[in-house]
Amino acid sequence: MNNLRPKGTYDLFDEKGQLFLKIRDLFFQLANNFNFNFIDTPIFEYLTVFYTSGKQSDLVSKELYKFSDRSDREMALRAEGTAPVMRAIAENKLFLNNKKFFYFGQMFRYESPQKGRSRQFWQAGCEFIDLSDDSQTSAYQKLEILQLGIALLNRLNIDYKIKLNYLATQETRANYINALKQYFEQYKDKLEKVSKERLEKNPLRILDDKIESQKDFVINAPKINAFYTEAEKQDFETILSVLKDNKITFEVDSNLVRGLDYYDDLVFEFVSDSPALGQRTTILGGGCYYNLVSDFDMPPAKGVGFAIGVDRLLEILSLNTQNEREIDFYLLGFNFDEIKKFAFLANQIREENFLVEYNKKATSFTKGFKKAQKSNAKFIVFYEKDQPANTVTIKTVSTGEKQIVESLSLTIIKSLKK
Ligand code: HAM
């Protein structure tokens, strides 16, 4: 039977599988260097966990994979990481000891699948909770979050642009939303159907809708910065100057509002123009949230975080790279006497953290070499015909150079690797 794979999902293997491991390992390593603490939450939650931040966003209103379990509890597959992580932090009182958390896991959203948009996808994310009330301190906390995202993308050689905006507080946004509603009422006829619905519930979303954002009257809509209080203006300036001091290149985009309901203060997106995904695709999204934390049973605290779309990074990287797995040593035995020795040796070398393969089937010289070369090994180790006992031959594949060594000691192997 064909086509049994659910729509919007994919199987991961071969080169993309290797790339996936590379991204994951690098993210874990970097998050660790930044002193973030690993956290993993269940792949499903009570539906209400996703309702805590409001029900207006597309994600909550249209894209949740909701289901009732056999005891009629209302559940949902994990659609994003922030709300579940906050639930876990509150429930386990993690806020008493830690402020910085990172996670890596699958998310589920009922969306129209296309390149870089799946119904099951992976996010690499982090959250910094308990942001300081002091503007400078909190600017450095935000900086650290951005630096983690930047470090990952730079290490993967992925190009991106950082866009950011300051959404201030709920009160300021309420004033702004009123003005925006009045403004868009004049252009109601020119709005798309989905925007007409948003006009009532969530007019901010009209601003960064892909189609609407091209229209002149949307480009010229009132800007949120006209509604900032003095303190908010100052706070945004402080953030921008800390980012500039740290050589972060960004663009302020006053129409950037983000798709989820829980954002306040600073929001940001890293956007890629890679042909793998098409223009202006968001590969990382995040920002601050003041209210989400207080929705759970913990002292009110502000948070900031991001999530990277790992699938999108995979698309970009697999366009650029031929990611063949590189083996360090291929031990080629032609008969079982040799295979026996190599089986033992292979395991010894692996203990030194090398990638090692050996053949388990007796083979001819020609066939064996073909296979060893195909394995993409840097060194092929074998016994040459009539070679003195207790010596092996090591062939460097890139140069064709051969050397006979008395015994294949770990010292020799380590020196070859360099
Ligand atoms: P988000 O913008 O909904 O934010 O998702 C973050 C990233 O996940 C997106 O920029 C995109 O790269 C990727 N993504 C989203 N949906 C899909 C999909 N259907 N298929 C493939 N990739 C996708 C959040 O989820 C927030 N929790 C981020 C955050 C953390 N804010 C504060 N802390």
Side-chain angles (χ1 to χ4, degrees):
M1 250 198 288
N2 283 328
N3 291 332
L4 285 177
R5 188 166 43 79
K7 187 175 171 186
T9 66
Y10 61 89
D11 302 308
L12 189 57
F13 49 84
D14 281 353
E15 284 173 18
K16 268 198 185 159
Q18 284 302 116
L19 278 173
F20 174 84
L21 295 179
K22 179 175 161 182
I23 298 170
R24 189 194 62 181
D25 292 353
L26 190 57
F27 183 65
F28 274 69
Q29 185 198 324
L30 291 170
N32 204 42
N33 291 351
F34 275 72
N35 199 25
F36 279 73
N37 298 277
F38 178 66
I39 185 162
D40 192 34
T41 60
I43 227 152
F44 62 99
E45 295 275 350
Y46 286 113
L47 184 59
T48 49
V49 168
F50 298 103
Y51 282 170
T52 44
S53 60
K55 294 183 185 176
Q56 307 296 355
S57 67
D58 282 354
L59 191 154
V60 174
S61 63
K62 298 183 194 152
E63 295 166 6
L64 283 181
Y65 269 92
K66 296 193 265 186
F67 63 97
S68 301
D69 73 6
R70 285 170 186 271
S71 303
D72 281 335
R73 295 183 192 93
E74 288 211 290
M75 316 298 295
L77 293 185
R78 184 173 60 187
E80 62 100 33
T82 312
V85 165
M86 291 310 131
R87 197 249 333 118
I89 290 174
E91 230 164 278
N92 299 291
K93 300 213 174 339
L94 303 180
F95 53 85
L96 295 177
N97 294 316
N98 292 314
K99 290 181 172 192
K100 293 156 66 172
F101 300 89
F102 77 99
Y103 50 92
F104 191 96
Q106 288 112 320
M107 307 295 157
F108 302 84
R109 295 184 192 178
Y110 197 81
E111 292 199 83
S112 303
Q114 59 185 67
K115 226 176 180 75
R117 175 167 300 144
S118 318
R119 291 187 170 172
Q120 175 178 334
F121 60 98
W122 292 85
Q123 281 188 343
C126 62
E127 312 294 344
F128 198 140
I129 55 159
D130 205 8
L131 293 187
S132 170
D133 283 333
D134 171 67
S135 185
Q136 293 229 45
T137 306
S138 106
Y140 283 103
Q141 293 170 321
K142 291 160 197 165
L143 168 75
E144 199 166 51
I145 285 285
L146 286 166
Q147 283 174 325
L148 176 55
I150 290 170
L152 181 75
L153 297 174
N154 288 357
R155 289 279 288 275
L156 292 170
N157 275 323
I158 290 180
D159 284 336
Y160 58 88
K161 279 200 188 97
I162 301 180
K163 290 184 169 192
L164 47 91
N165 193 16
Y166 189 80
L167 295 184
T169 52
Q170 220 166 7
E171 298 77 59
T172 299
R173 271 199 316 285
N175 294 334
Y176 176 50
I177 286 170
N178 270 339
L180 212 53
K181 268 187 185 163
Q182 281 178 21
Y183 175 82
F184 282 136
E185 280 296 337
Q186 308 167 58
Y187 299 95
K188 212 169 171 179
D189 297 346
K190 295 184 179 164
L191 289 172
E192 307 293 316
K193 190 168 164 263
V194 55
S195 301
K196 284 184 186 146
E197 287 163 24
R198 282 175 174 159
L199 189 54
E200 279 315 306
K201 294 187 201 150
N202 200 2
L204 288 178
R205 289 296 291 159
I206 298 173
L207 295 172
D208 69 356
D209 179 275
K210 273 211 167 150
I211 298 172
E212 305 291 17
S213 60
Q214 308 299 315
K215 298 180 183 170
D216 279 348
F217 70 92
V218 177
I219 296 170
N220 297 325
K223 303 283 176 267
I224 190 165
N225 56 9
F227 294 80
Y228 294 161
T229 62
E230 248 342 281
E232 287 165 351
K233 256 185 223 161
Q234 277 291 321
D235 187 42
F236 192 29
E237 279 309 314
T238 305
I239 298 170
L240 298 184
S241 78
V242 166
L243 299 188
K244 282 179 197 153
D245 288 347
N246 286 279
K247 309 272 177 281
I248 292 179
T249 315
F250 58 84
E251 183 192 308
V252 175
D253 176 352
S254 42
N255 282 357
L256 179 74
V257 295
R258 306 272 303 126
L260 292 149
D261 290 336
Y262 50 62
Y263 290 109
D264 304 271
D265 196 311
L266 182 73
V267 289
F268 49 83
E269 285 187 351
F270 290 23
V271 180
S272 157
D273 280 331
S274 163
L277 296 166
Q279 278 197 320
R280 292 200 303 132
T281 304
T282 307
I283 51 178
L284 177 155
C288 300
Y289 41 91
Y290 295 175
N291 301 307
L292 185 60
V293 175
S294 56
D295 280 336
F296 295 102
D297 187 19
M298 63 197 258
K302 305 169 188 174
V304 60
F306 71 66
I308 293 180
V310 174
D311 306 61
R312 296 187 182 178
L313 304 191
L314 274 178
E315 291 298 331
I316 295 173
L317 290 177
S318 49
L319 195 73
N320 302 339
T321 22
Q322 280 267 315
N323 255 283
E324 285 198 41
R325 178 188 270 255
E326 269 210 339
I327 287 182
D328 293 317
F329 294 96
Y330 190 99
L331 312 184
L332 173 58
F334 301 113
N335 55 54
F336 277 101
D337 267 353
E338 295 173 0
I339 291 173
K340 185 176 164 188
K341 288 181 200 156
F342 282 155
F344 190 76
L345 187 60
N347 234 25
Q348 266 189 321
I349 316 177
R350 284 175 187 148
E351 274 175 26
E352 297 299 308
N353 228 356
F354 291 115
L355 209 162
V356 185
E357 185 58 282
Y358 70 96
N359 58 309
K360 283 107 193 150
K361 199 171 164 185
T363 178
S364 71
F365 195 82
T366 326
K367 263 196 186 164
F369 258 93
K370 245 192 197 159
K371 201 168 167 202
Q373 240 128 13
K374 225 176 137 193
S375 78
N376 212 16
K378 284 189 211 133
F379 301 103
I380 302 173
V381 180
F382 60 102
Y383 294 101
E384 213 141 9
K385 217 175 176 192
D386 304 327
Q387 169 168 342
N390 285 336
T391 64
V392 287
T393 303
I394 302 175
K395 182 175 173 184
T396 309
V397 177
S398 60
T399 59
E401 183 196 343
K402 278 201 273 185
Q403 45 177 313
I404 295 178
V405 293
E406 282 224 343
S407 68
L408 191 56
S409 73
L410 290 178
T411 331
I412 293 176
I413 287 171
K414 280 187 208 164
S415 73
L416 283 175
K417 181 83 192 285
K418 278 179 203 149

